[in-house]
Structures are given as structure tokens and as C-alpha cells.
Amino acid sequence: MNAPWHQKLGWRAEALGWDTYEGIFRSMGIDRAGDAGAAILRRLGPMASVQNVARINMQRAFPEATKPEIDRLLTRMWDSFGRFLGENPNMAVLAPPKTRERVEVRGEELVLKLTREHKPYVLVSGHFSNWEVMGAVIADLGLNCRVTYRHANNPIIDERILSTRAAYGLKIMTAKGGAGAKELLKCLSEGTAVALMNDQKMNDGIAAPFFGYETMTAPGPSKMAMRTGVPLIPIVTRRLEGANFRVTFYDPIEQSTAADKTEAVRDTVTNINRWVEDRIREAPEQWFWVHRRWDKSVYRKDAGSTSSTSAGSM
């Protein structure tokens, strides 16, 4: 690693903290670790600055919700995210062949058929519940699929994360960015499926509606599927109870056939956003609300100071 000594020292200090976190929660086992993580974040999460980010996001998504409803949703969100953090060091218990002991899988018939026929597809998802569970299911089903991965800033922690994912069977990763996109297109051309998250803001993406607001969204999954003529298949993880989950593969998302390519991509991205919206409405506490999904001006100091007091819509 070509970096100044003080940066390397900082990396090692951060890695020590990471190892401590993982060691403590791993020693508890996945169930107790999830409960502990939930208890900790229900208490500490509301003190974090991203509490206001989450509140503003919820107010935008559910404009008719009352303040008490938003407050309750925030508490449930921290519970869900805390469970995710507690469970992550224990993901090896979900590795094949034990995956189905805790994970119910639905709608996998199409991806299994495409896999048997050596045909590629694009899997698209979002940050719901414990999204790492999807990787365990991909491994358990034996899908020929590459999953995108954004490298951690700390290379030592990055190695730890990759090792954890390998422990539950996800051994093929590729970085995001221009080089990663070319690699993914190459995979599709060779018959290998690819999987990407598509629910966070991308500053240099395209504007498409999300909960009624124009939102910069990554067009990569749509462009890849349309360029190669493969299905665009959405997948989501739902927490059932404790550290038990359901992973569902949905019918392919409709891809626009508009003559104008820019319009076609935007229409397809809009279809993905609509699918994400529907999954959020089904279980709003399980989405990653603390991400700044809209323009930064939305999150200025007083942007979320008021909320509706009309009848709730959640």
C-alpha cells in the first residue's frame, strides 16, 4: 500500500476498531447479536446527525404521515439497521448448505432456468433489511452471477469485508466505476449474470421520479440490460422475525422500447424506481433511510423542520 505512514497508522487503528466490533458481535451468535445491535441503535441512532436525514426522507416519501407516525417509523428503522449491524459478523452461519435454515426463497424459478440454459440477466435490488442475505442466496442457488462492490476506503477493512462475504459463499466480486461497468458488460456477453444495487443517489446519473420528485439515479442496470437484451430481474430481502428472512425474485421489470434511447433509459430507470417505492411501502422500516437520496439542498438545516399533521398514509 503506497500511502504515508500516518495514513497507514490510521487504517490500522480503524481496523482494530472493526475487529473489536466483529469479535464482540460474533461471540454472541447471530440471534443475540441482532437483538443487541437493535437495542444499541434504538438508543444511539436518534442522537446521530443522520436522524434528520432519515426524517426528511420519510416526510418526502409519506407526506401525509403525522409526526408521531414518523417518530415510530424512525424507531423501527433503527431497530432494523441495528439488527443488520449485529448480524453481519455472523453471516457465515447463512453460508450454504445452511442458508435455507433461516432464509425462505421465493420466485427463483426464472433465474434457475436461465442459469441452466447458460443465459445471462441483470439482478437489481436495494438496501432492504439485511441486504447481505441476498449474496448467501445467490451462492446457495449456485447462480453464475457477479455482484458489484464498492471498495471500502480503508484497504485493511476492505479485505475483512471481502473475507466475510467469501465465508458465506459470495466469492466473485467486481468494483464499481467505469472499469467495473466494462467488466460487467463483458460478463453479460459471456453468459454470466450481474447484480447491482439501484436505490441510492448517483450525482452523475439521470433524473427520474422517485416518490414524486426528480431524483438522480444510476442508469447502469437499465443500460446494461437494454444493451445486451437480457431480463432485468428485481430481488429483495425481507426480515421475517429475528435473524430469519425471505428473499424474493420478482418478475422482470419492463424495459422501454421508445425509439429515443435517452427516453427509453429514463423510462426503464423510472420502472425500477417505482419497484423500489413499492417495496419501501410494503415494509418502510426495513429500508436504508439514512442515505441522502435527494439533492443536498433538501437536507439543509431547516429543510425538515415541519411535517404534516394530516391523516397518516403508512
Side-chain angles (χ1 to χ4, degrees), residues 114-153:
L114 292 171
T115 298
R116 288 193 300 269
E117 296 173 352
H118 305 289
K119 294 180 179 179
Y121 48 89
V122 174
L123 282 181
V124 64
S125 190
H127 295 79
F128 293 95
S129 180
N130 186 332
W131 53 86
E132 296 286 346
V133 174
M134 289 184 292
V137 169
I138 287 171
D140 180 71
L141 292 175
L143 303 183
N144 180 21
C145 180
R146 280 202 168 189
V147 181
T148 58
Y149 170 63
R150 188 190 303 278
H151 288 290
N153 293 332

Side-chain angles (χ1 to χ4, degrees), residues 6 12 24-25 35 48 52-53 80 87 102 107 223 257 312:
H6 56 85
R12 292 188 181 279
I24 291 172
F25 281 102
D35 290 343
N52 193 51
V53 172
S80 178
E87 290 161 356
R102 290 180 175 270
K223 285 184 175 180
T257 57

Side-chain angles (χ1 to χ4, degrees), residues 76-92:
R76 299 199 303 270
M77 175 204 72
W78 286 120
D79 182 284
S80 178
F81 191 49
R83 290 183 186 280
F84 167 77
L85 294 179
E87 290 161 356
N88 263 13
N90 296 279
M91 288 299 294

